[in-house]
Amino acid sequence: MSSDTLAAVEPAVELEGITKRFPGVVANHDIRITVEPGTVHAIVGENGAGKSTLMKILYGMQKPDEGTIRVNGKEVTFRTPSDAIDAGIGMVHQHFMLADNFTVLENIVLGAEPKRAGMLDTARARKRVTELASSHGLRVDPDRLVEDLGVGDRQRVEILKVLYRGARILILDEPTAVLVPQEVEELFQNLRELKAEGLTVIFISHKLDEVLSIADAITVIRRGTTVASVEPSQVTARQLAELMVGSELPTPETRESTVTETVALTVSGLTMEAGPHHPGVPLEKLRQEGARLLLDDVSFDIHKGEILGIAGVEGNGQSELIEAIMGMRPAHGHIALDGADINEWSTLKRRESGIGYIPEDRHRQGLLLEASLWENRVLGHQTRAPARRGIWVNRSAARADTERIVKEYDVRTPGVDTLALALSGGNQQKLIVGREMSGEPKFLIAAHPTRGVDVGAQAAIWDHLRNARAAGLAVLLISADLDELIGLSDTLRVIYRGRLVAGLDPSHVTPEQLGGYMTGAITDTAEES
Amino acid sequence: MPAGLYRALLTVAGAVAAIILAIAISSVAIIAAGASPGAAFTAFLNFGETERAVVNSITTMLNRAVPLFIAGLAVAVGFRMNLFNIGVEGQYRIAAICAAFVGSLFTAPSWIQIPVIILVAAVVGGLYALIPAVMKVTRGVNEVIATIMLNYIAINLAAYLVRGPFTGKRAEGLLTTTTPTLPESAWFPNLNWLFTMFGLPAPRGGGLWGFLIVAVLLGIGLWVLLERTRFGFDVKASGLNSSAALASGVNPKTMVISAMVLSGAIAGLIGLPEILGDKHSFGSNFTPGLGFLGIAVALLGRNKPGGIAIAALLFGFLDRAQGPLQFASVPPSVIMIMQGTIVLLVVIANEITSRIALRREERRAAQQLGRNTPVEVAA
């Protein structure tokens, strides 16, 4: 599909005037996108801009209120995803939908199994899958269990699954969110091959450098509508970002160092067993016995006014590190806050002594979704002023303080009696940040503080972290966003299989180097610079 | 309209719709049973011709509602924390027989005797509920299974105790075995003055049970505890999101134990209205099944003391019609069908109304977001 035949070829997908209203809000209005066949077409926009709604419409999960969809020149109406699949559209979800205890082959054919006399025709399935895999350069072993696969392999399985169903147009929803830089490059290689085969890829992302390197065309969505269609050769990442945000762009950079000499938190020899906790057993003995360790001899200091960033692929011990510091799960080793040994303290006492916690999953650990905002303000502060008065919850003071957070942290809500689940992700997160910053914390754990929030809220949260740091707060920052880590941290450590494997200087390190340490590709233990 | 008020009104509207629908469904059942729905509903509303009959009917209804209300409260304490205390049934039986027996052992002035009996009942109920709580926090045993099993033990243990160690002298010509009769100082004064005050005749039998006042105080106290105190907040947080509660420093084990024991202690009081107000002993004809009905009452009342009171009164109202229904030649099992359908439909209605309320809030929050969006810069 070269450009000189472009006029003659029908666009693979053409969206015209797509509008989708939810009660009280317009998620999409007047979306116009033309995707040429045999191209990688990127759709960029910040969180909440309406990308997901648009993709759900294109994949038949939601019906648009207005507008038309044309696939290969033919107007279509999708009522269910299977209509979309029939039209040759496949979707690779951000969160993989694979059965862990099935093999790759079984996962791919699941739901569309070739049968012979009512039985699964394994031979035919295998032939088809191997063919697909080799012709598209997607190397996977069909007989491995999915649970043994890495993230990149799982993604290839998802892509194969879609191709197996005959898709010629692939929608990839934030495919790089879970990948490290090396895996991203591999994915892009696969996408180029798919393109060469004449397939069309719709690539949703908000990582602009990636979009610029892979896309043939880019459509920018802002606040529910298409604001620009550009070619990657004509724009820079910064211009693209400004199109996305529609305003001046924030950066995560912390300017001058505010690190002091005073140590706020000391962690030494922190070790956590995968199985039941055996108190008092020395690390050497655990190692000898071959116990699987989720945290292996983790030690670090955080000073007042310092942000220590922990980089790592998810599942390498970050959650366990948080649980150990918060006292939610027993571990060996020592933790001291302001010089006081807090090993034996309960979670409550640790919180009361000035540990704040922005959890990695705000819905799971940070909020009571079915409770009002002011009750969420009380959460974690139920034993401290202003939320407490003797045995009572001080409702009026809690309400008043929630009003303060709503104002200072720009939480957009009709009022403090609104249920937390009515708020958008960014506003929920701002509420949590505001809550954890109240009561003068000495030390803050910020786990993915800007995950799933829009650029505006992200900038605000970064600002709050920076201000608190300048005021002498010690912060442990755990994030999957390498730019955020490099930009905010004073010191950077990499966690890999429960060990801190490298100490890096954020002012010199590149995301690629960081990725190397995170995947274990670079193993020499760089000492703290 | 404030979000809270809107939610409350919506809940009431949902409950009313559910009850109307339940009446419609029950009518079908009544017709299927060969009776006329009209006659049945007249029987429900027929409180009697004479003043005395009306007073008796109201008393029957209230006397039935009081233990159901306490049972509902007991179950609701557990429900609030996602703890399914099926064991209320066993807890109240074992507590009732122990309290009745201990109360019969001594005689003291009423203001000592009655509180001691109440205390014994609460302690026994609480201790019996402590067993599944400890099993849950130490060994992870599911409380549903543990409490069901403990129900069988309690019911049979009570049956053994009333025939064996705790048995009293059987009155001449009676077939039921009972614990020794309580001294008169343990008889809870009745509330018949509520009727005589207005010149109405006093109800017959034990009269209007005075324990009604204890139940009302208990309901108010529990409301204050759950809605206003830190303990109540911890219960709510644990129930809504246990991982968030843990991360916020709420100790889940302490919470499970205290909620279970509180639930059991309240359950211990279920049998007392009957024992202190009417029978003055625990016998083999003691009212069974109140613990299980408490589950339905708590569900119907959305685990809130106010709602549970209304639910208990509704159940009392329906149960009262046993007699009149028989006179109208309608099978009284219609009552069970109505109770069942009401509970089922109210649960469904609750789900629907909470979704409506939720959508409204999301809309309002989204509108707020729309108003405050930052100024757009031309692309």
Side-chain angles (χ1 to χ4, degrees), chain A residues 260-464:
Chain A
T260 61
E261 291 298 308
T262 337
V263 175
L265 184 93
T266 308
V267 167
S268 58
L270 205 60
T271 302
M272 187 186 281
E273 296 166 69
H277 179 65
H278 299 99
V281 182
L283 178 59
E284 300 308 317
K285 190 139 178 276
L286 285 175
R287 284 222 178 100
Q288 268 170 20
E289 286 171 357
R292 202 164 77 81
L293 300 177
L294 299 174
L295 287 177
D296 188 347
D297 199 13
V298 170
S299 304
F300 56 79
D301 286 339
I302 307 182
H303 300 83
K304 291 198 163 153
E306 178 183 8
I307 298 183
L308 173 73
I310 302 270
V313 176
E314 268 174 68
N316 274 286
Q318 294 96 321
S319 312
E320 288 77 11
L321 178 62
I322 295 169
E323 286 175 335
I325 297 177
M326 290 301 295
M328 289 151 66
R329 194 167 161 181
H332 305 275
H334 291 279
I335 307 169
L337 179 70
D338 258 0
D341 187 341
I342 64 168
N343 272 1
E344 301 302 319
W345 293 8
S346 66
T347 306
L348 186 64
K349 189 156 182 214
R350 291 179 200 213
R351 274 187 163 273
E352 286 171 344
S353 321
I355 298 187
Y357 174 35
I358 301 172
E360 54 187 314
D361 183 340
R362 61 180 160 267
H363 287 178
R364 206 170 72 79
Q365 289 195 313
L367 290 172
L368 305 175
L369 285 173
E370 288 113 23
S372 62
L373 296 192
W374 71 263
E375 284 172 296
N376 276 287
R377 165 66 183 82
V378 176
L379 188 68
H381 295 252
Q382 62 270 38
T383 54
R384 279 176 277 170
R388 174 193 180 180
R389 188 172 49 203
I391 63 160
W392 308 101
V393 171
N394 191 340
R395 296 157 68 90
S396 55
R399 274 213 180 82
D401 200 60
T402 314
E403 302 270 11
R404 172 190 67 82
I405 293 174
V406 164
K407 221 163 82 207
E408 281 178 21
Y409 288 78
D410 187 27
V411 182
R412 310 240 171 101
T413 166
V416 295
D417 285 310
T418 302
L419 300 186
L421 46 69
L423 264 53
S424 72
N427 285 307
Q428 290 175 344
Q429 189 74 353
K430 284 190 276 189
L431 178 76
I432 293 178
V433 173
R435 174 181 75 198
E436 296 306 325
M437 294 282 195
S438 16
E440 294 177 358
K442 294 173 191 155
F443 165 63
L444 177 74
I445 301 174
H448 308 282
T450 61
R451 174 180 275 179
V453 307
D454 57 74
V455 172
Q458 186 177 42
I461 291 169
W462 282 337
D463 271 338
H464 289 301

Side-chain angles (χ1 to χ4, degrees), chain A residues 144-198:
Chain A
R144 278 186 70 184
L145 281 180
V146 164
E147 64 185 354
D148 300 331
L149 295 185
V151 185
D153 288 324
R154 284 173 193 234
Q155 197 166 48
R156 276 193 286 281
V157 176
E158 281 278 4
I159 295 175
L160 271 173
K161 199 172 160 175
V162 170
L163 293 174
Y164 182 84
R165 281 157 181 71
R168 300 291 294 165
I169 300 161
L170 268 65
I171 307 170
L172 275 73
D173 187 6
E174 308 242 354
T176 60
V178 287
L179 303 180
V180 295
Q182 283 80 350
E183 289 172 322
V184 170
E185 200 32 63
E186 244 178 290
L187 170 72
F188 284 1
Q189 199 49 47
N190 294 144
L191 293 187
R192 287 192 193 99
E193 282 179 51
L194 291 175
K195 189 171 79 170
E197 301 279 323

Side-chain angles (χ1 to χ4, degrees), chain B residues 29-60:
Chain B
I30 294 168
I31 292 167
S36 121
F41 295 122
T42 320
F44 274 113
L45 295 172
N46 176 15
F47 273 56
E49 252 77 281
T50 62
E51 273 185 350
R52 179 174 293 277
V54 172
V55 164
N56 280 337
S57 298
I58 293 175
T59 305
T60 314

Side-chain angles (χ1 to χ4, degrees), chain A residues 23-25 222-223 227 243 246-247 326 328 347-348 351 357 363-368 370-371 375 378-383 388 390-393 395 412-414 417-419 421-424 427, chain B residues 3-4 7 224-225 227-231 233-234 236-238 240-250 358-359 361-379:
Chain A
V25 279
R222 184 170 78 225
R223 296 184 54 205
V227 291
L243 281 175
S247 63
M326 290 301 295
M328 289 151 66
T347 306
L348 186 64
R351 274 187 163 273
Y357 174 35
H363 287 178
R364 206 170 72 79
Q365 289 195 313
L367 290 172
L368 305 175
E370 288 113 23
E375 284 172 296
V378 176
L379 188 68
H381 295 252
Q382 62 270 38
T383 54
R388 174 193 180 180
I391 63 160
W392 308 101
V393 171
R395 296 157 68 90
R412 310 240 171 101
T413 166
D417 285 310
T418 302
L419 300 186
L421 46 69
L423 264 53
S424 72
N427 285 307
Chain B
R7 283 201 288 268
V224 171
L225 181 71
E227 300 290 340
R228 289 291 182 271
T229 64
R230 280 203 297 129
F231 174 78
F233 182 84
D234 287 354
K236 183 170 183 180
S238 311
L240 287 179
N241 186 343
S242 56
S243 8
L246 176 68
S248 309
V250 178
L358 193 66
R359 218 159 295 146
E361 294 220 346
E362 274 173 343
R363 215 158 45 223
R364 274 161 50 105
Q367 277 164 0
Q368 195 71 17
L369 198 62
R371 270 206 294 282
N372 297 353
T373 32
V375 189
E376 217 176 316
V377 179

Side-chain angles (χ1 to χ4, degrees), chain B residues 60-96:
Chain B
T60 314
M61 167 177 153
L62 289 176
N63 283 353
R64 177 69 175 168
V66 167
L68 285 175
F69 173 64
I70 302 173
L73 292 180
V75 175
V77 170
F79 270 162
R80 285 232 173 183
M81 262 199 54
N82 288 338
L83 280 174
F84 216 143
N85 182 8
I86 309 274
V88 168
E89 181 73 22
Q91 288 145 19
Y92 95 83
R93 298 241 209 145
I94 204 86

